[in-house]
Each structure stands twice: as C-alpha cells, then as structure tokens.
Amino acid sequence: MKNEIDIHRALKVFNKVTQYGEKRALEDGHHGHDYWLCGISAQTDHDGYTITLADAQVSLTVFFHNKYQFDYPTNDALDNFLRRFSDVENYQAA
C-alpha cells in the first residue's frame, strides 16, 4: 500500500520539532539524541541525509531525494500520527 505524504510538510514538521523540541538521549543503546515535541520524535542519521519522525506506533523515514517509507501497525495509528503533524505546526513557543 502506497501512502502519499507531502514531503515538504514532513520536513517543516521535522524542523519545528528539532528547533523547539526537548533534546533527549537515545534510549535504545545507540549514541546520539532525538528531539521530542507534541508526541513526535525527530532524529537524523550521522550524515544528515536520512531523517525519521516517529510516535509510539508509527515511523516515517525520509531518505535522500525525498523518497520515504512508513512503518505502522494499523491505518488508525497512521491517521493519529499524521494528526500530530497539525499539533506541531500549531505549536507556539513560549
């Protein structure tokens, strides 16, 4: 099943999460960190060419040349994840 997403919107969400989100150390034993805002985590690989946005159930990985891949258990989980994009977009820094 092919899921369509506006990559530019996803990149804007990524930028906002990394700009305003809480910086956290990765919990899975890997070196590095992610950022957390409005229920979405954002991280990038070591060279910056691949980014990942995720919540507890869904992940969206954006690769070089704007190719992307979703990983999710149900369509409801995906819909909930995409609704969180609006929460991030509407976030107002204090």
Side-chain angles (χ1 to χ4, degrees), residues 8-20 35 40-45 48 50-53 62 85 88:
H8 297 289
R9 182 180 185 211
L11 294 173
K12 287 178 184 178
V13 167
F14 177 85
N15 285 335
K16 196 156 189 183
V17 172
T18 57
Q19 182 177 8
Y20 297 110
Y35 294 88
I40 291 184
S41 71
Q43 68 184 69
T44 185
D45 65 351
T50 303
I51 66 165
T52 302
L53 294 168
V62 180
F85 277 26
V88 171

Side-chain angles (χ1 to χ4, degrees), residues 23-62:
K23 186 175 181 178
R24 311 179 306 174
L26 293 179
E27 297 175 0
D28 61 4
H30 292 96
H31 297 289
H33 61 274
D34 70 355
Y35 294 88
W36 181 261
L37 181 68
C38 299
I40 291 184
S41 71
Q43 68 184 69
T44 185
D45 65 351
H46 66 280
D47 62 11
Y49 286 113
T50 303
I51 66 165
T52 302
L53 294 168
D55 67 7
Q57 298 185 64
V58 178
S59 68
L60 166 63
T61 305
V62 180

Side-chain angles (χ1 to χ4, degrees), residues 7 16 30 32-33 37 42 48 50 60 65 71-72 75 80 86 93:
I7 290 297
K16 196 156 189 183
H30 292 96
H33 61 274
L37 181 68
T50 303
L60 166 63
H65 293 300
D71 183 21
Y72 58 94
N75 286 334
N80 184 51
S86 295

